[in-house]
Amino acid sequence: MSIEINQYFVIFLIVFLLRNVFELILQPTDKHKNNSEKDGKITIVVYTVLFLGSGTAVWIYLLFDPQVKPLVYYSGVVLLVMAFILRMITLQRIKRSFSLYINTLPSDLLITDGIYRIIRHPAYTFYSLEMLAFVVIKFNYFSLIALALDVLITLRRINKEEEFLLQRFGDKYSKYRKETKKLIPFVY
């Protein structure tokens, strides 16, 4: 099957724009930035470059080879859209606790209900699924490398966040860590 290149590009562009606008809307302006400010800005840039680069690579590959297996292509598109929607729902759930920086306000609570009962970092899980969707839509090495880099960077960031949350919430977070998985429900 040969797909309409503009169809994919429109879906990708909508997801890319909505996810960035949504994160900007959720980003509280009254967060006290700490020494993680530089790390937060670097994270924003790296994730944006990986997402934009991977999505663009798929588009370029589709320009030169628009032949795809319909089931695989549409599975990738559905995965991209569903992961995006679930990520936005997850971020909406934590609302004012969401920050691009690793910090909390004194009034922030440890959220352990909803999807957070199953995994501690669902927003990262869904972001990685968005990146995986690009590999599924049209396999290419750039998207595969971007996915691998995303996973490595995400795991590094999660470790920093968990150290911070352990210091901030103490035994409560330690108990929560023992009761839940990090990224993949019931597995990891």
Side-chain angles (χ1 to χ4, degrees):
M1 173 185 110
S2 181
I3 64 132
E4 175 61 41
I5 304 303
N6 293 334
Q7 170 193 7
Y8 162 77
F9 189 72
V10 167
I11 292 168
F12 166 69
L13 198 58
I14 289 170
V15 168
F16 179 73
L17 292 174
L18 285 177
R19 68 189 303 280
N20 288 316
V21 167
F22 195 80
E23 284 184 8
L24 286 173
I25 290 169
L26 282 179
Q27 181 65 37
T29 56
D30 62 341
K31 277 282 187 189
H32 301 292
K33 296 176 185 170
N34 59 19
N35 60 0
S36 71
E37 181 175 352
K38 183 179 177 186
D39 189 50
K41 287 179 181 175
I42 291 170
T43 301
I44 296 165
V45 170
V46 169
Y47 280 146
T48 301
V49 167
L50 288 176
F51 188 87
L52 190 56
S54 189
T56 303
V58 170
W59 181 62
I60 291 169
Y61 274 84
L62 288 172
L63 277 174
F64 291 103
D65 182 13
Q67 294 298 316
V68 294
K69 294 179 180 168
L71 181 61
V72 174
Y73 173 79
Y74 288 112
S75 295
V77 170
V78 168
L79 178 61
L80 176 64
V81 172
M82 291 303 298
F84 163 73
I85 291 169
L86 291 169
R87 185 167 181 273
M88 294 304 107
I89 290 169
T90 299
L91 293 178
Q92 179 63 28
R93 170 64 191 97
I94 59 176
K95 291 182 186 165
R96 74 181 236 111
S97 294
F98 170 73
S99 176
L100 300 172
Y101 307 100
I102 300 174
N103 62 11
T104 60
L105 292 174
S107 61
D108 285 347
L109 303 172
L110 179 61
I111 298 171
T112 59
D113 60 346
I115 191 153
Y116 289 89
R117 281 181 291 145
I118 302 167
I119 53 176
R120 296 189 300 276
H121 303 281
Y124 290 129
T125 298
F126 296 131
Y127 178 75
S128 292
L129 287 174
E130 288 176 36
M131 296 295 289
L132 176 63
F134 293 130
V135 176
V136 172
I137 290 170
K138 181 72 172 179
F139 179 82
N140 66 84
Y141 289 109
F142 183 88
S143 294
L144 189 61
I145 291 167
L147 174 62
L149 287 173
D150 166 66
V151 170
L152 291 173
I153 292 165
T154 297
L155 290 174
R156 180 179 169 270
R157 178 150 172 108
I158 285 172
N159 288 337
K160 286 183 177 185
E161 283 183 14
E162 292 208 337
E163 282 178 30
F164 177 82
L165 292 169
L166 196 54
Q167 288 176 352
R168 168 71 169 84
F169 294 106
D171 290 339
K172 188 174 182 180
Y173 191 75
S174 182
K175 181 179 181 236
Y176 174 61
R177 280 175 62 169
K178 290 176 185 169
E179 296 171 350
T180 57
K181 296 296 181 184
K182 193 180 286 192
L183 284 170
I184 304 170
F186 315 110
V187 177
Y188 175 75

